[in-house]
Amino acid sequence: MLTSPTNEQPELNTELGPNWFASVMGTGIIANAAAGLPIIGQYLDKVGLIIWVIAALMLIIMLLLKVIQTVVKPHIIKRQFNDPVMAQFFGAPPMALLTIAGGTLLFGQHFFSQDTVMIIAWSLWLTGTITGLITAVVIPYLLFTHHQVRGDAAFGGWLMPVVPPMVSATIGAMIIPHTQDLLLQQTLLYACYAMFGISLMAAFIIISLIWGRLAHSGTSSGARVPTLWIVLGPLGQSITAVGALGTVALSVIEQPLANSLDNMAILYGVPVWGFAFYWSILATLLTLRALRRKMPFALTWWAFTFPVGTCVTGTTQLALHTGLPVFEWAALILFMFLVAAWVIAAWGTIKGIKTGNIIKNPTRSPIIISNKGPQY
């Protein structure tokens, strides 16, 4: 069995990893969250539009750079797929596509006709959904059969490849009302619920593994700590998805099933929101502990943005379904935290680009132990 010596410095290579797409997710979610924000959302249309444009441009640039890099240096993407840490972040590009798809539905009419908006949204949604389902299968499969990692290797990044179907379910709920054929609407609705289930079950398993790792091995002050916030991603996104799908169900399927699905937004959403709040307290304490121990900046700091953003949209759904002011104000407070987290992550990224630190990725993950042989 081959192991990496603990005193060996990792070889660094300048390249664009899939983790960079987390910045698109973290930026785009601000626009999407602002559009439906209780109380003040109606006043944030122009702000959301500007942020969506920035996120869309970021996505285009990164896609172009990644395609060029893959064509010119195909060995880089192969190595990234074979790295047990970096491979997990291949879930980020599909979620970036889906985030921009949602923003297109919300803000695209400022630039395009309705038909063009729908073409763009459908294209992004289908591409993000297909690639997201692929990553949800391929990346865990590689982890199960190709990589061997230490017993304490479970981290928030393991959630990245399995969350895209949940984002697809949310954005799919936004697309369904724009579809004319009732049969297609119903098919899309149930497909979205199925994707909701894919992510939900996988996320619960992985969150349990993360809890076990923390209990048995503790945490550090390293750049992996911010990935604990990724746990909020499937939690907040699932609340958002079940709320949006429940609303759509009222106009797509017959009673009493429609009301049952709509009520699920509360019956499921409130308990999960409670756990998300609980986890955010634990993650905050562990993050503060790491900061006191000089936790370095890394692209993982973008984990402070998109997962919190999904909690904003999820809380907004609860505000809409319950009509309670407590959820309205909670959404506003979370949105302020989201913006603050984005500023911190963006500022650190800009500084890192100037110094060249964050564009240099290790060519080998320090948690690799060996490659597994054939599995039976």
Side-chain angles (χ1 to χ4, degrees), residues 12 297 351-361:
L12 299 179
F297 177 83
K351 289 178 61 178
I353 292 175
K354 288 182 178 180
T355 60
N357 293 334
I358 63 172
I359 59 175
K360 294 181 179 179
N361 296 319

Side-chain angles (χ1 to χ4, degrees), residues 94-321:
M95 286 191 281
L97 291 168
L98 293 165
T99 302
I100 300 305
T104 301
L105 291 170
L106 295 171
F107 303 103
Q109 70 275 8
H110 290 280
F111 297 102
F112 311 108
S113 66
Q114 184 61 26
D115 289 342
T116 303
V117 167
M118 293 312 303
I119 291 173
I120 296 173
W122 267 105
S123 300
L124 291 172
W125 185 76
L126 287 172
T127 305
T129 296
I130 293 171
T131 55
L133 288 170
I134 291 173
T135 62
V137 173
V138 172
I139 303 304
Y141 177 80
L142 288 176
L143 188 64
F144 300 160
T145 63
H146 184 65
H147 303 132
Q148 182 170 330
V149 294
R150 297 198 306 249
D152 63 346
F155 75 117
W158 282 11
L159 290 163
M160 291 294 289
V162 302
V163 175
M166 188 72 79
V167 184
S168 291
T170 304
I171 307 304
M174 299 172 63
I175 289 179
I176 290 173
H178 298 280
T179 305
Q180 302 302 319
D181 184 73
L182 179 61
L183 181 60
L184 179 58
Q185 288 180 326
Q186 294 175 340
T187 302
L188 285 174
L189 179 70
Y190 288 117
C192 287
Y193 273 111
M195 290 188 287
F196 167 88
I198 291 172
S199 286
L200 185 65
M201 296 298 103
F204 281 164
I205 294 170
I206 295 170
I207 292 171
S208 298
L209 294 174
I210 295 171
W211 185 290
R213 192 264 294 177
L214 291 172
H216 292 288
S217 304
T219 185
S220 67
S221 58
R224 192 167 70 165
V225 173
T227 64
L228 292 172
W229 290 83
I230 299 178
V231 171
L232 295 179
L235 299 177
Q237 195 68 59
S238 65
I239 299 171
T240 306
V242 76
L245 290 171
T247 300
V248 171
L250 293 174
S251 59
V252 172
I253 58 178
E254 297 180 355
Q255 301 295 350
L257 180 57
N259 274 337
S260 298
L261 293 176
D262 190 46
N263 291 333
M264 183 179 168
I266 298 175
L267 297 176
Y268 169 87
V270 175
V272 173
W273 188 92
F275 180 75
F277 181 73
Y278 167 71
W279 183 268
S280 68
I281 295 174
L282 291 176
T284 298
L285 293 174
L286 292 172
T287 302
L288 291 175
R289 178 177 180 271
L291 287 172
R292 288 196 300 269
R293 298 185 175 190
K294 311 298 183 182
M295 179 178 68
F297 177 83
L299 285 176
T300 53
W301 283 42
W302 282 99
F304 297 136
T305 57
F306 186 81
V308 175
T310 66
C311 290
V312 176
T313 56
T315 306
T316 298
Q317 283 294 330
L318 290 179
L320 291 172
H321 282 82

